[in-house]
């Protein structure tokens, strides 16, 4: 669940405070021994103080929270079993990767364990074009299969398919059920494999339905394994080359600024400058010097200058930030290149922790500030459109946290209340352009102050109802998403009646006509959480909460969402049937016709913090 992110950062802070408290306790303990303090006979969760303060006890800080890190101590037997089952699944993964290695299978399965083939016999080619082939089994095809094979047979047979291709295997347990009061257990598992051969690459995604027999004092044993919803993708091997250094590396500023990881800057820059360890800093791409080549502007954390690189005809780039007047040291998370004055060149809007800045391009790639607004929020993203059809572009800016939060916290997460349906975040802002570089903050005037405190991360404009003016969809991290219908220049949030509130951890929004029916459809990037899917379906989860609240939490961890436009002002959730749920921890997505076949595909970016030490939160 998204709470994992919050808890992760909380416990990082907890670790530091516990370390500090430990040193204090050691000092107190030494002093106490020196003056003959008697050991405490009271609760072991307290520490004795020095003589003279016998009635004062120091409780161990955060002990209750730390105890909850162990699911077995917190009453979550399903999570304890999930950990044990995952350890066994990883052993199966290792055998798929090395099918000829010696292994004692009796430690993994029961004597009568029966399995279906790991690649169902019903798999058939579903799609093939441009060297890419997709083959699938029917949904729930395991129902028609006989599990007559042993575990070692199906694993060995499947592993041989990828001999010499160095497969890497991953599992995600997304459902756990106790059967007959723990006499057996059932897990639903996402199986994922990637392999690269000499001439082609393969990617596999499947669902495993596993039953387990618990073993007293030992790991559980697999009693059956059935495979369903199998999908494989085979493609001609794509040789992608990292060209970052070749394109940007000749600029003097590249190595000292861009070749260093986050760990370096955390230990170098004062966090109050606006260092964001989540790294949600965007880029803007556009032809700023009118040479027909796209240039790129990098938004940077506070204390590091934003950088503008001009695209040269030889494929390299030249850094011109200072000359262009856009090397702001202000913490900047979003920027747009767009023609604000209709003179044919790309102007710049930059959103920072304190301001939205509007800059005019002189036609040669040099920028001059023409307007700036203080905002109630630190801006994280922006989107532009001509909402009132007056011939100039207007700008909507998403604010995730307040400026005070941004200054005081390296992550600025705030406290969403309630967690899954918050409406207490920082306010978004709308700037209307009245021509001649005159901008007006018009959020309330146009109706965009409705439901305007929902920890917004992204927004996108589209005329979804085909009435000639652009409407606005806003993806919110902790609150319901908003669809603002444009009614002749005034906006009304119709997300509920349109069926697109999508309670989840909204990260981005993309419009596209995926089914080619002439209507704009919506794809929202959210966060898929296997832990959230497991926990939110347990009876003990949020006991006493309403059924509606429970369903909201289940949706919160479900993954990405695809809404098909029905053409009557409403949308249908077609996520599961379209197979586009699992985008992992998805930050951004876009509809792109990748293979030029006339159908819009989906490109999804995902991931979370990666540190030099992967075991260090």
């Amino acid at each position: 669940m998204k709470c994992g992110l919050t808890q992760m950062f909380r416990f990082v802070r907890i670790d530091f405070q516990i370390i500090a408290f430990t040193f204090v306790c050691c000092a107190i303990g030494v002093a106490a021994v020196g003056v003959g303090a008697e050991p405490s006979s009271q609760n072991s969760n307290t520490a004795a103080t020095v003589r003279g303060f016998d009635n004062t006890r120091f409780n161990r800080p955060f002990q209750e929270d730390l105890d909850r890190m162990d699911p077995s101590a917190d009453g979550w037997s399903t999570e304890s079993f999930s950990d044990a089952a995952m350890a066994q699944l990883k052993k199966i993964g290792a055998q798929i990767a090395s099918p000829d290695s010696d292994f004692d299978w009796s430690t993994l399965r029961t004597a009568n364990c029966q399995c279906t083939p790991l690649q169902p016999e019903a798999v058939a080619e579903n799609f093939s074009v441009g060297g890419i082939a997709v083959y699938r089994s029917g949904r729930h095809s395991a129902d028609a299969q006989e599990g007559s094979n042993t575990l070692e047979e199906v694993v060995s047979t499947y592993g041989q398919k990828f001999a010499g291709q160095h497969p890497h295997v991953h599992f995600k347990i997304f459902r756990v059920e106790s059967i007959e009061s723990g006499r057996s257990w059932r897990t639903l598992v996402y199986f994922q494999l990637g392999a690269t051969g000499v001439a082609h690459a393969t990617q596999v995604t499947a669902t495993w339905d596993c039953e387990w027999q618990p073993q007293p004092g030992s790991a559980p044993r697999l009693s059956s394994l059935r495979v369903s919803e199998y999908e494989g993708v085979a493609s001609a091997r794509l040789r992608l080359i990292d060209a970052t250094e070749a394109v940007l590396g000749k600029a003097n500023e590249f190595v000292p600024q861009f070749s260093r990881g986050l760990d370096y800057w955390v230990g170098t820059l004062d966090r109050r400058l606006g260092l964001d360890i989540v790294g949600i800093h965007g880029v803007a791409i556009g032809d700023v010097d009118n040479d027909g080549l796209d240039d790129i502007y990098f938004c940077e954390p506070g204390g590091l200058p934003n950088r503008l690189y001009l695209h040269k005809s030889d494929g390299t780039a030249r850094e011109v930030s200072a000359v262009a007047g856009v090397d702001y040291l202000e913490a900047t998370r979003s920027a747009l290149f767009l023609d604000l004055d209709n003179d044919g060149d790309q102007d710049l809007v930059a959103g920072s922790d304190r301001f939205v800045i509007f800059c005019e391009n002189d036609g040669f790639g040099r920028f001059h500030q023409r307007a700036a607004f203080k905002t109630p929020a630190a801006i994280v993203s922006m989107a532009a459109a001509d909402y009132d059809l007056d011939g100039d572009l207007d700008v909507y800016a998403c604010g995730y946290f307040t400026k005070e939060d941004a200054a005081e916290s390296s992550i600025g997460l705030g406290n969403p209340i309630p967690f899954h349906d918050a409406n207490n975040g920082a306010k978004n802002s709308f700037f209307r352009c009245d021509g001649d570089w005159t901008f007006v903050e018009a959020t309330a005037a146009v109706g965009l102050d409705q439901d305007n405190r929902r920890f917004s991360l992204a927004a996108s404009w589209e005329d979804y109802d085909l009435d000639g003016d652009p409407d606005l969809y806003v993806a919110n991290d902790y609150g319901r998403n908003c669809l603002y219908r444009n009614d002749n220049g005034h906006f009304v949030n119709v997300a509920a009646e349109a069926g697109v509130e999508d309670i989840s951890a909204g990260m981005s929004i993309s419009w596209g006509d995926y089914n080619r029916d002439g209507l704009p459809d919506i794809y929202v990037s959210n966060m898929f959480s296997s832990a959230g899917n497991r926990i939110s379906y347990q009876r003990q989860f949020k006991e006493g909460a309403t059924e509606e609240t429970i369903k909201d939490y289940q949706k919160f961890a479900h993954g990405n969402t695809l809404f098909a436009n029905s053409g009557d002002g409403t949308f249908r959730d077609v996520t599961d049937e379209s197979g586009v749920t699992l985008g992992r921890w998805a930050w951004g997505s876009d509809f792109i016709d990748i293979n030029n076949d006339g159908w819009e595909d989906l490109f999804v970016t995902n991931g979370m913090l990666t540190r030099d030490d992967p075991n260090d939160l």
Side-chain angles (χ1 to χ4, degrees):
M1 293 181 296
K2 188 60 182 286
C3 59
L5 172 62
T6 307
Q7 289 176 339
M8 179 172 70
F9 289 118
R10 285 176 181 166
F11 282 111
V12 170
R13 293 195 293 270
I14 287 172
D15 288 342
F16 289 125
Q17 296 182 51
I18 289 176
I19 292 171
F21 185 83
T22 302
F23 282 114
V24 172
C25 287
C26 289
I28 292 175
V30 171
V33 171
V35 296
E38 298 178 359
S40 171
S41 60
Q42 299 187 19
N43 192 313
S44 61
N45 282 338
T46 61
T49 62
V50 296
R51 183 176 296 170
F53 294 91
D54 293 336
N55 293 326
T56 303
R57 324 304 300 178
F58 289 101
N59 291 323
R60 293 179 182 175
F62 313 108
Q63 189 63 45
E64 181 180 351
D65 288 335
L66 291 176
D67 289 343
R68 292 167 67 92
M69 295 293 287
D70 180 0
S72 63
D74 196 27
W76 281 88
S77 58
T78 53
E79 285 301 283
S80 296
F81 184 83
S82 176
D83 291 342
M86 178 59 76
Q88 294 289 71
L89 289 170
K90 287 182 177 179
K91 294 177 183 178
I92 296 176
Q95 291 304 118
I96 292 174
S98 302
D100 295 327
S101 61
D102 293 332
F103 186 71
D104 182 3
W105 290 95
S106 65
T107 64
L108 261 180
R109 46 97 177 123
T110 62
N112 60 348
C113 176
Q114 297 295 306
C115 307
T116 61
L118 298 189
Q119 178 175 313
E121 296 175 358
V123 164
E125 187 176 281
N126 181 267
F127 173 85
S128 179
V129 66
I132 299 176
V134 178
Y135 46 97
R136 297 188 177 109
S137 66
R139 185 175 290 266
H140 305 302
S141 62
D143 294 340
Q145 297 184 69
E146 294 294 334
S148 58
N149 304 292
T150 66
L151 181 63
E152 44 265 55
E153 287 173 343
V154 299
V155 169
S156 176
T157 300
Y158 193 68
Q160 294 297 336
K161 295 178 180 291
F162 306 101
Q165 298 183 43
H166 310 291
H168 51 92
V169 179
H170 301 278
F171 300 94
K172 286 182 178 291
I173 299 176
F174 65 93
R175 196 81 80 246
V176 177
E177 299 176 6
S178 173
I179 303 174
E180 296 181 351
S181 301
R183 293 181 182 178
S184 63
W185 292 78
R186 181 189 182 209
T187 60
L188 295 181
V189 183
Y190 281 131
F191 165 81
Q192 297 168 312
L193 176 146
T196 303
V198 175
H200 67 279
T202 302
Q203 175 182 295
V204 174
T205 303
T207 300
W208 289 10
D209 189 338
C210 302
E211 290 193 15
W212 307 80
Q213 292 295 324
Q215 306 292 319
S218 183
R221 303 291 192 269
L222 193 66
S223 58
S224 74
L225 189 160
R226 293 156 59 83
V227 177
S228 65
E229 300 183 50
Y230 186 96
E231 178 183 88
V233 179
S235 66
R237 186 173 180 182
L238 300 177
R239 297 187 179 275
L240 301 179
I241 300 174
D242 183 354
T244 309
E245 189 170 354
V247 174
L248 304 176
K250 292 183 179 180
N252 294 332
E253 297 78 6
F254 175 76
V255 172
Q257 184 163 338
F258 289 100
S259 65
R260 303 182 188 276
L262 182 63
D263 286 346
Y264 175 84
W265 297 116
V266 167
T268 304
L269 297 176
D270 192 318
R271 65 180 176 84
R272 290 172 294 182
L273 293 172
L275 180 64
D276 190 331
I277 67 172
V278 179
I280 51 173
H281 300 277
V283 299
I285 296 176
D287 180 9
V288 302
D289 56 356
N290 291 313
D291 64 352
L293 300 173
D294 281 336
D295 312 301
I296 186 167
Y297 185 61
F298 290 94
C299 301
E300 287 289 274
L304 294 174
N306 295 345
R307 297 292 187 184
L308 174 61
Y309 287 87
L310 294 185
H311 189 169
K312 298 169 62 178
S313 58
D314 63 358
T316 63
R318 179 166 58 97
E319 200 279 330
V320 296
S321 310
V323 174
V326 292
D327 55 340
Y328 296 110
L329 290 172
E330 186 86 10
T332 309
R333 293 178 177 82
S334 179
L336 297 174
F337 283 130
L338 67 176
D339 188 0
L340 291 169
D341 51 9
N342 295 317
D343 64 351
D345 56 31
Q346 297 289 292
D347 306 303
L348 176 70
V349 182
S352 74
D353 276 357
R354 296 187 299 167
F355 303 97
V356 172
I357 304 169
F358 296 83
C359 298
E360 180 183 10
N361 188 338
D362 66 359
F364 300 97
R366 292 185 294 269
F367 294 85
H368 306 278
Q369 184 176 315
R370 296 298 303 270
F373 289 85
K374 285 189 175 182
T375 57
I379 302 304
V380 295
S381 69
M382 297 181 294
D386 182 9
Y387 91 101
D388 52 1
L389 308 180
D390 65 350
D392 48 41
L393 293 172
D394 314 290
V395 176
Y396 186 83
C398 294
Y400 188 85
F401 42 80
T402 67
K403 293 179 289 186
E404 292 75 15
D405 284 339
E408 294 299 325
S409 170
S410 60
I411 53 174
L413 280 176
N415 296 297
I417 301 173
F419 179 80
H420 69 295
D421 193 13
N423 197 19
N424 66 317
K427 295 180 179 180
N428 302 340
S429 297
F430 176 69
F431 302 96
R432 186 184 69 231
C433 180
D434 288 344
D436 193 26
W437 290 99
T438 300
F439 293 89
V440 177
E441 198 285 318
T443 313
V446 299
L448 288 173
D449 56 338
Q450 307 170 65
D451 305 313
N452 190 31
R453 299 184 61 192
R454 293 187 170 181
F455 295 86
S456 303
L457 279 177
S460 184
W461 298 88
E462 179 62 78
D463 182 12
Y464 82 92
D465 52 4
L466 306 182
D467 66 348
D469 53 26
D471 310 295
L472 179 68
Y473 191 93
V474 181
N476 300 313
D477 200 0
Y478 289 103
R480 301 166 188 263
N481 292 348
C482 300
L483 174 60
Y484 295 103
R485 188 183 63 213
N486 187 344
D487 293 339
N488 298 316
H490 186 82
F491 293 92
V492 179
N493 183 13
V494 297
E497 61 189 77
V500 294
E501 285 188 310
D502 196 41
I503 292 183
S504 196
M507 306 287 190
S508 76
I509 156 68
S510 181
W511 294 91
D513 183 9
Y514 86 96
N515 54 4
R516 299 203 305 193
D517 64 354
L519 301 171
D521 309 304
I522 300 172
Y523 189 66
V524 184
S525 294
N526 297 312
M527 183 196 67
F528 169 82
S529 170
S530 54
N533 276 277
R534 292 194 309 268
I535 292 171
S536 61
Y537 281 87
Q538 300 302 320
R539 291 181 179 178
Q540 69 189 97
F541 175 71
K542 297 193 74 66
E543 294 178 334
T546 65
E547 182 179 353
E548 181 181 1
T549 297
I550 297 297
K551 288 182 178 179
D552 286 345
Y553 272 94
Q554 291 168 351
K555 180 64 178 72
F556 200 85
H558 187 66
N560 295 354
T561 308
L562 176 61
F563 293 109
N565 194 331
S566 299
D568 59 359
T570 66
F571 292 77
R572 294 175 292 110
D573 188 335
V574 295
T575 311
D576 293 335
E577 64 189 75
S578 301
V580 294
T581 304
L582 185 57
R584 303 176 187 253
W585 196 311
W587 288 100
S589 59
D590 205 354
F591 282 103
I592 306 172
D593 183 5
I594 298 173
N595 55 353
N596 296 316
D597 66 349
W599 292 86
E600 290 184 307
D601 311 300
L602 278 168
F603 180 80
V604 181
T605 60
N606 54 51
M608 194 46 202
L609 294 178
T610 300
R611 307 297 299 274
D612 293 339
D613 180 356
N615 298 313
D616 183 2
L617 288 179

